Amino acid sequence: MSEGEPTLIDKSESSSFEDLASAAAHEIEEAKLAEAAATEKENKVDKPPEEWQDVLGSGALLKKILKTGDESNGSRPRRSDICRISYELKIRDGSQDLIEKRDHVKIYLGDNEVLQGLDLALTLMYKGEVCLLQIAPRFAYGETGLKTGESLGLVGEVDGPKYEGTPIGPDTWLEARLELHDWTEEPDHETLPIAERMEIGVRRRCRGNWWYGRGEAQLAVQLYRRALDVLDESEGGITDPTPSGDLEPASDALHALLEERLRVHNNMAAAQLKAGAYDAALQAVTRVLSCQPDNAKALYRKARILSSMGRTNEALEAARAAACAAPGDSGVRKELTKCEQKASRDRSVERRLAQRMLGGVAAPSSSPDKKPSNTKMLVWGSLLLSFLVGVASVLVYRYKMQAQ
């Protein structure tokens, strides 16, 4: 017992009383907890809970169930499953401005074809479930926000609608109503017709472009990789290019599929460059140039990648090739100028280093040579003058001696 507390028993007495008191207090506490649990259970039976669930444990994604789904088999959608959903997004403030609303749209779960907050919530939903979500900015429109007139990047729409509401700032929370109708497993790509594979590849590339435009290079790369999964060549399909770089004869559909695949590789190289993954970016752009050696965009990106890797001479070579392929492109000309200037600076540095390695021996410059040269001439002139004076003195002496 600490100081200042009233003394109930003498300290010299047996501790059995303290043990009994502690046990009694413990029993009372357990009784209180049991009573509270029973009361909470009764409240749950009488009234459904309306509290928000913290999905991630960080408060950045909150969920309230409006309609329970089918939990009979306990199954939930998994990554890459094709989910059919309906949702509407609003700004979480007094205005409740509607951002977008879509009904019975199909998405590939985990591909970030919708905002990340929706993607994450779907993995914890059952078939037929309806819920409200409160989404923090990092899982919504991020630090970039969304300006009036910008694309909403709706999946499945190449030229989707523009946002017409008030600007969404970097600290704006969103509220969403989300319904999961059903889902199916992603089919094997080899079993899909060429036209369907092309459609899926294009929608993923366009969504990747949307993320890239928002500065989310990693998310863009993820979409591009998923596009390549479905655009990849199948057995008996597109073959390797010939040594000349031309494509072997193929059907128009297969040829278009290859063109789309190269387009995705090209875009992925730009995203990987932005993310600082230079080796992966170089591999992606090399795949494009192996089939299209005169692709100006690929050559331009190759020059930027090599320049970032410090391979200046190779970058200059790629920039010159890009300038030949697209002589009127201002961006290509600008990159060529940068590469030329950098190559010139590198050559100057190499010359200075070589001079230092050789002990500082350098070609004499004009200005330092003037003073040593004049000094030498003065010394030699003085010596010559002294010599002449001496000779003249000797001659005069001899002349006088002969005259006597």
Side-chain angles (χ1 to χ4, degrees), residues 362-377:
S365 57
S366 58
S367 55
D369 285 348
K370 289 181 180 179
K371 289 184 179 179
S373 178
N374 292 336
T375 303
K376 290 179 180 179
M377 290 177 65

Side-chain angles (χ1 to χ4, degrees), residues 140-169:
Y141 291 106
E143 297 180 356
T144 307
L146 189 66
K147 297 180 178 61
T148 304
E150 287 188 340
S151 171
L152 290 169
L154 299 184
V155 63
E157 299 183 16
V158 177
D159 298 319
K162 310 294 183 181
Y163 175 59
E164 299 178 356
T166 57
I168 298 175

Side-chain angles (χ1 to χ4, degrees), residues 233 238-242 246-248:
E233 63 186 52
I238 303 173
T239 57
D240 293 333
T242 60
D246 298 330
L247 298 176
E248 292 184 354

Side-chain angles (χ1 to χ4, degrees), residues 77-90:
R78 295 179 295 179
R79 184 180 180 86
S80 300
D81 285 346
I82 304 175
C83 298
R84 188 166 59 91
I85 64 173
S86 295
Y87 67 90
E88 65 177 37
L89 283 172
K90 295 181 179 180

Side-chain angles (χ1 to χ4, degrees), residues 13-34:
E13 293 181 10
S14 172
S15 63
S16 59
F17 180 80
E18 294 180 359
D19 295 339
L20 291 173
S22 177
H26 183 68
E27 290 180 0
I28 293 173
E29 187 65 25
E30 285 187 343
K32 289 181 178 179
L33 292 174

